[in-house]
């Protein structure tokens, strides 16, 4: 499939898919939680926004692959 941006549909975007992942581990006492997550793991390049003004067309690309880690502690 394909989607078109712009009033005159002059900017085509091919079909795409993204993959996000998250893994979390909680220690037996449930006091500590460790997590790692990733977005756009396949590093798919796609437009997230297209805007038209009197000066031209502006496009914003979606963020590339990103990884995040976190630790939570209950007091």
């Amino acid at each position: 499939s394909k989607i078109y941006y712009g009033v005159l549909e002059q900017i085509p975007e091919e079909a795409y898919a993204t993959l996000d992942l998250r893994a979390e581990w909680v220690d037996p006492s449930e006091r500590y939680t460790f997590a790692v997550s990733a977005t756009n793991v396949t590093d798919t390049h796609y437009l997230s926004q297209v805007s038209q003004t009197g000066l031209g067309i502006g496009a914003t690309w979606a963020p590339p692959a990103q990884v995040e880690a976190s630790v939570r502690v209950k007091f």
Side-chain angles (χ1 to χ4, degrees):
S1 69
K2 192 180 279 193
I3 186 171
Y4 294 90
Y5 294 103
V7 176
L8 301 175
E9 297 185 344
Q10 69 270 36
I11 303 170
E13 173 90 280
E14 297 292 331
Y16 64 88
T18 61
L19 176 64
D20 297 344
L21 301 171
R22 179 174 172 82
E24 186 173 283
W25 180 78
V26 180
D27 80 306
S29 72
E30 296 186 1
R31 183 170 182 199
Y32 301 99
T33 303
F34 300 92
V36 63
S37 61
T39 57
N40 195 8
V41 174
T42 56
D43 201 25
T44 303
H45 298 277
Y46 62 96
L47 292 170
S48 64
Q49 182 179 354
V50 174
S51 59
Q52 277 185 284
T53 66
L55 301 174
I57 298 172
T60 303
W61 291 96
Q66 297 178 344
V67 177
E68 176 181 284
S70 65
V71 177
R72 287 188 307 217
V73 180
K74 290 183 182 178
F75 293 98

